[in-house]
Amino acid sequence: MKSLEELKAIREKALSQVSVRSDENKIRVIVGMATCGIAAGARPVMNALVSESAKRGLKNVSVTQTGCVGMCRLEPLFEVIEPNGKSYTYINMTEEKAIKVVNEHIVNGNPVSEFLIGTSEKN
């Protein structure tokens, strides 16, 4: 590399080869997978989310994991973020509850209020 222009060209080439990880049209599901989440059962919940999404052929859903969300007593938990930016945090989840969220919220657009933070904490 001998000039600033060469450096800029290398940068532009690298940027053009990087794919953006989040798609504006996808529903994002982010599962808390820190030690507290895993100990509470987050791994089977995440597997259920991935399996059910695949079984139903959902191409508009991205299931990923994150570290500690800071609500350890509510684990396992995950957040569903719709393409419009609206988010829903589901708490105290199980595999069965996760499948219900996929079928009712992600597929049919009806959030499952009984599992949402705020709603379920009032019980």
Side-chain angles (χ1 to χ4, degrees), residues 47-66:
N47 290 339
L49 290 164
V50 170
S51 295
E52 188 66 16
S53 296
K55 182 174 107 177
R56 293 175 82 36
L58 303 177
K59 303 290 185 202
N60 67 327
V61 177
S62 167
V63 180
T64 59
Q65 64 185 37
T66 190

PDB file of all heavy atoms in Angstrom, residues 47-66:
ATOM      1  N   ASN A  47     -33.357 -24.044  21.480  1.00  0.00           N
ATOM      2  CA  ASN A  47     -33.490 -25.150  20.522  1.00  0.00           C
ATOM      3  C   ASN A  47     -34.930 -25.292  20.040  1.00  0.00           C
ATOM      4  O   ASN A  47     -35.166 -25.555  18.857  1.00  0.00           O
ATOM      5  CB  ASN A  47     -33.001 -26.459  21.145  1.00  0.00           C
ATOM      6  CG  ASN A  47     -31.494 -26.474  21.344  1.00  0.00           C
ATOM      7  OD1 ASN A  47     -30.759 -25.721  20.715  1.00  0.00           O
ATOM      8  ND2 ASN A  47     -31.035 -27.326  22.237  1.00  0.00           N
ATOM      9  N   ALA A  48     -35.896 -25.114  20.943  1.00  0.00           N
ATOM     10  CA  ALA A  48     -37.308 -25.205  20.560  1.00  0.00           C
ATOM     11  C   ALA A  48     -37.673 -24.082  19.591  1.00  0.00           C
ATOM     12  O   ALA A  48     -38.407 -24.309  18.618  1.00  0.00           O
ATOM     13  CB  ALA A  48     -38.199 -25.147  21.802  1.00  0.00           C
ATOM     14  N   LEU A  49     -37.173 -22.871  19.837  1.00  0.00           N
ATOM     15  CA  LEU A  49     -37.438 -21.745  18.940  1.00  0.00           C
ATOM     16  C   LEU A  49     -36.883 -22.013  17.544  1.00  0.00           C
ATOM     17  O   LEU A  49     -37.562 -21.802  16.534  1.00  0.00           O
ATOM     18  CB  LEU A  49     -36.831 -20.450  19.506  1.00  0.00           C
ATOM     19  CG  LEU A  49     -37.486 -19.870  20.748  1.00  0.00           C
ATOM     20  CD1 LEU A  49     -36.568 -18.853  21.420  1.00  0.00           C
ATOM     21  CD2 LEU A  49     -38.825 -19.241  20.409  1.00  0.00           C
ATOM     22  N   VAL A  50     -35.651 -22.494  17.488  1.00  0.00           N
ATOM     23  CA  VAL A  50     -35.002 -22.776  16.206  1.00  0.00           C
ATOM     24  C   VAL A  50     -35.720 -23.924  15.498  1.00  0.00           C
ATOM     25  O   VAL A  50     -36.035 -23.829  14.300  1.00  0.00           O
ATOM     26  CB  VAL A  50     -33.506 -23.105  16.409  1.00  0.00           C
ATOM     27  CG1 VAL A  50     -32.871 -23.630  15.132  1.00  0.00           C
ATOM     28  CG2 VAL A  50     -32.755 -21.874  16.910  1.00  0.00           C
ATOM     29  N   SER A  51     -36.008 -24.999  16.225  1.00  0.00           N
ATOM     30  CA  SER A  51     -36.659 -26.169  15.625  1.00  0.00           C
ATOM     31  C   SER A  51     -38.052 -25.846  15.097  1.00  0.00           C
ATOM     32  O   SER A  51     -38.410 -26.240  13.980  1.00  0.00           O
ATOM     33  CB  SER A  51     -36.768 -27.305  16.643  1.00  0.00           C
ATOM     34  OG  SER A  51     -35.503 -27.752  17.003  1.00  0.00           O
ATOM     35  N   GLU A  52     -38.838 -25.138  15.899  1.00  0.00           N
ATOM     36  CA  GLU A  52     -40.200 -24.816  15.479  1.00  0.00           C
ATOM     37  C   GLU A  52     -40.196 -23.870  14.279  1.00  0.00           C
ATOM     38  O   GLU A  52     -40.993 -24.023  13.355  1.00  0.00           O
ATOM     39  CB  GLU A  52     -40.995 -24.219  16.641  1.00  0.00           C
ATOM     40  CG  GLU A  52     -42.460 -24.033  16.364  1.00  0.00           C
ATOM     41  CD  GLU A  52     -43.244 -25.321  16.179  1.00  0.00           C
ATOM     42  OE1 GLU A  52     -42.765 -26.405  16.549  1.00  0.00           O
ATOM     43  OE2 GLU A  52     -44.373 -25.250  15.641  1.00  0.00           O
ATOM     44  N   SER A  53     -39.271 -22.909  14.277  1.00  0.00           N
ATOM     45  CA  SER A  53     -39.163 -21.985  13.140  1.00  0.00           C
ATOM     46  C   SER A  53     -38.783 -22.748  11.875  1.00  0.00           C
ATOM     47  O   SER A  53     -39.340 -22.492  10.798  1.00  0.00           O
ATOM     48  CB  SER A  53     -38.141 -20.891  13.436  1.00  0.00           C
ATOM     49  OG  SER A  53     -38.562 -20.097  14.521  1.00  0.00           O
ATOM     50  N   ALA A  54     -37.859 -23.686  12.003  1.00  0.00           N
ATOM     51  CA  ALA A  54     -37.436 -24.491  10.850  1.00  0.00           C
ATOM     52  C   ALA A  54     -38.564 -25.414  10.401  1.00  0.00           C
ATOM     53  O   ALA A  54     -38.822 -25.549   9.198  1.00  0.00           O
ATOM     54  CB  ALA A  54     -36.193 -25.301  11.209  1.00  0.00           C
ATOM     55  N   LYS A  55     -39.229 -26.043  11.349  1.00  0.00           N
ATOM     56  CA  LYS A  55     -40.325 -26.960  11.032  1.00  0.00           C
ATOM     57  C   LYS A  55     -41.434 -26.256  10.253  1.00  0.00           C
ATOM     58  O   LYS A  55     -42.020 -26.811   9.333  1.00  0.00           O
ATOM     59  CB  LYS A  55     -40.882 -27.544  12.327  1.00  0.00           C
ATOM     60  CG  LYS A  55     -42.004 -28.550  12.142  1.00  0.00           C
ATOM     61  CD  LYS A  55     -42.374 -29.183  13.471  1.00  0.00           C
ATOM     62  CE  LYS A  55     -43.689 -28.629  13.924  1.00  0.00           C
ATOM     63  NZ  LYS A  55     -44.180 -29.230  15.158  1.00  0.00           N
ATOM     64  N   ARG A  56     -41.686 -24.995  10.608  1.00  0.00           N
ATOM     65  CA  ARG A  56     -42.744 -24.233   9.939  1.00  0.00           C
ATOM     66  C   ARG A  56     -42.220 -23.497   8.699  1.00  0.00           C
ATOM     67  O   ARG A  56     -42.980 -22.808   8.035  1.00  0.00           O
ATOM     68  CB  ARG A  56     -43.362 -23.247  10.928  1.00  0.00           C
ATOM     69  CG  ARG A  56     -44.119 -24.021  12.035  1.00  0.00           C
ATOM     70  CD  ARG A  56     -44.663 -23.187  13.112  1.00  0.00           C
ATOM     71  NE  ARG A  56     -45.898 -22.481  13.029  1.00  0.00           N
ATOM     72  CZ  ARG A  56     -47.036 -22.817  12.440  1.00  0.00           C
ATOM     73  NH1 ARG A  56     -47.102 -23.902  11.757  1.00  0.00           N
ATOM     74  NH2 ARG A  56     -48.098 -22.052  12.520  1.00  0.00           N
ATOM     75  N   GLY A  57     -40.934 -23.627   8.412  1.00  0.00           N
ATOM     76  CA  GLY A  57     -40.362 -23.004   7.218  1.00  0.00           C
ATOM     77  C   GLY A  57     -40.328 -21.489   7.272  1.00  0.00           C
ATOM     78  O   GLY A  57     -40.479 -20.837   6.239  1.00  0.00           O
ATOM     79  N   LEU A  58     -40.127 -20.939   8.466  1.00  0.00           N
ATOM     80  CA  LEU A  58     -40.135 -19.482   8.630  1.00  0.00           C
ATOM     81  C   LEU A  58     -38.799 -18.891   8.187  1.00  0.00           C
ATOM     82  O   LEU A  58     -37.792 -19.016   8.868  1.00  0.00           O
ATOM     83  CB  LEU A  58     -40.430 -19.120  10.092  1.00  0.00           C
ATOM     84  CG  LEU A  58     -41.736 -19.672  10.667  1.00  0.00           C
ATOM     85  CD1 LEU A  58     -41.865 -19.305  12.135  1.00  0.00           C
ATOM     86  CD2 LEU A  58     -42.924 -19.150   9.874  1.00  0.00           C
ATOM     87  N   LYS A  59     -38.812 -18.242   7.050  1.00  0.00           N
ATOM     88  CA  LYS A  59     -37.597 -17.629   6.499  1.00  0.00           C
ATOM     89  C   LYS A  59     -37.401 -16.203   7.013  1.00  0.00           C
ATOM     90  O   LYS A  59     -36.330 -15.637   6.872  1.00  0.00           O
ATOM     91  CB  LYS A  59     -37.650 -17.614   4.974  1.00  0.00           C
ATOM     92  CG  LYS A  59     -37.832 -18.972   4.350  1.00  0.00           C
ATOM     93  CD  LYS A  59     -36.612 -19.826   4.507  1.00  0.00           C
ATOM     94  CE  LYS A  59     -36.797 -21.137   3.755  1.00  0.00           C
ATOM     95  NZ  LYS A  59     -35.943 -22.179   4.244  1.00  0.00           N
ATOM     96  N   ASN A  60     -38.455 -15.627   7.611  1.00  0.00           N
ATOM     97  CA  ASN A  60     -38.384 -14.239   8.062  1.00  0.00           C
ATOM     98  C   ASN A  60     -38.039 -14.129   9.546  1.00  0.00           C
ATOM     99  O   ASN A  60     -38.242 -13.093  10.157  1.00  0.00           O
ATOM    100  CB  ASN A  60     -39.716 -13.533   7.805  1.00  0.00           C
ATOM    101  CG  ASN A  60     -40.838 -14.093   8.669  1.00  0.00           C
ATOM    102  OD1 ASN A  60     -40.853 -15.285   8.981  1.00  0.00           O
ATOM    103  ND2 ASN A  60     -41.777 -13.251   9.043  1.00  0.00           N
ATOM    104  N   VAL A  61     -37.490 -15.207  10.127  1.00  0.00           N
ATOM    105  CA  VAL A  61     -37.175 -15.220  11.552  1.00  0.00           C
ATOM    106  C   VAL A  61     -35.699 -15.511  11.743  1.00  0.00           C
ATOM    107  O   VAL A  61     -35.147 -16.422  11.138  1.00  0.00           O
ATOM    108  CB  VAL A  61     -38.012 -16.288  12.293  1.00  0.00           C
ATOM    109  CG1 VAL A  61     -37.627 -16.356  13.760  1.00  0.00           C
ATOM    110  CG2 VAL A  61     -39.487 -16.004  12.146  1.00  0.00           C
ATOM    111  N   SER A  62     -35.076 -14.718  12.597  1.00  0.00           N
ATOM    112  CA  SER A  62     -33.677 -14.911  12.966  1.00  0.00           C
ATOM    113  C   SER A  62     -33.609 -15.142  14.467  1.00  0.00           C
ATOM    114  O   SER A  62     -34.027 -14.277  15.238  1.00  0.00           O
ATOM    115  CB  SER A  62     -32.884 -13.661  12.575  1.00  0.00           C
ATOM    116  OG  SER A  62     -31.611 -13.667  13.174  1.00  0.00           O
ATOM    117  N   VAL A  63     -33.118 -16.308  14.893  1.00  0.00           N
ATOM    118  CA  VAL A  63     -32.977 -16.622  16.310  1.00  0.00           C
ATOM    119  C   VAL A  63     -31.498 -16.544  16.654  1.00  0.00           C
ATOM    120  O   VAL A  63     -30.678 -17.251  16.064  1.00  0.00           O
ATOM    121  CB  VAL A  63     -33.531 -18.021  16.651  1.00  0.00           C
ATOM    122  CG1 VAL A  63     -33.368 -18.326  18.132  1.00  0.00           C
ATOM    123  CG2 VAL A  63     -34.990 -18.145  16.233  1.00  0.00           C
ATOM    124  N   THR A  64     -31.167 -15.648  17.592  1.00  0.00           N
ATOM    125  CA  THR A  64     -29.779 -15.483  18.021  1.00  0.00           C
ATOM    126  C   THR A  64     -29.716 -15.497  19.545  1.00  0.00           C
ATOM    127  O   THR A  64     -30.742 -15.539  20.210  1.00  0.00           O
ATOM    128  CB  THR A  64     -29.177 -14.163  17.499  1.00  0.00           C
ATOM    129  OG1 THR A  64     -29.957 -13.067  17.978  1.00  0.00           O
ATOM    130  CG2 THR A  64     -29.139 -14.124  15.989  1.00  0.00           C
ATOM    131  N   GLN A  65     -28.520 -15.424  20.049  1.00  0.00           N
ATOM    132  CA  GLN A  65     -28.347 -15.411  21.497  1.00  0.00           C
ATOM    133  C   GLN A  65     -27.579 -14.180  21.930  1.00  0.00           C
ATOM    134  O   GLN A  65     -26.906 -13.546  21.131  1.00  0.00           O
ATOM    135  CB  GLN A  65     -27.638 -16.674  21.958  1.00  0.00           C
ATOM    136  CG  GLN A  65     -26.220 -16.825  21.448  1.00  0.00           C
ATOM    137  CD  GLN A  65     -25.626 -18.161  21.835  1.00  0.00           C
ATOM    138  OE1 GLN A  65     -26.294 -19.175  21.853  1.00  0.00           O
ATOM    139  NE2 GLN A  65     -24.343 -18.145  22.152  1.00  0.00           N
ATOM    140  N   THR A  66     -27.735 -13.850  23.200  1.00  0.00           N
ATOM    141  CA  THR A  66     -27.013 -12.733  23.786  1.00  0.00           C
ATOM    142  C   THR A  66     -26.534 -13.167  25.162  1.00  0.00           C
ATOM    143  O   THR A  66     -26.896 -14.239  25.643  1.00  0.00           O
ATOM    144  CB  THR A  66     -27.897 -11.469  23.863  1.00  0.00           C
ATOM    145  OG1 THR A  66     -27.073 -10.351  24.218  1.00  0.00           O
ATOM    146  CG2 THR A  66     -29.027 -11.620  24.851  1.00  0.00           C
TER     147      THR A  66
END
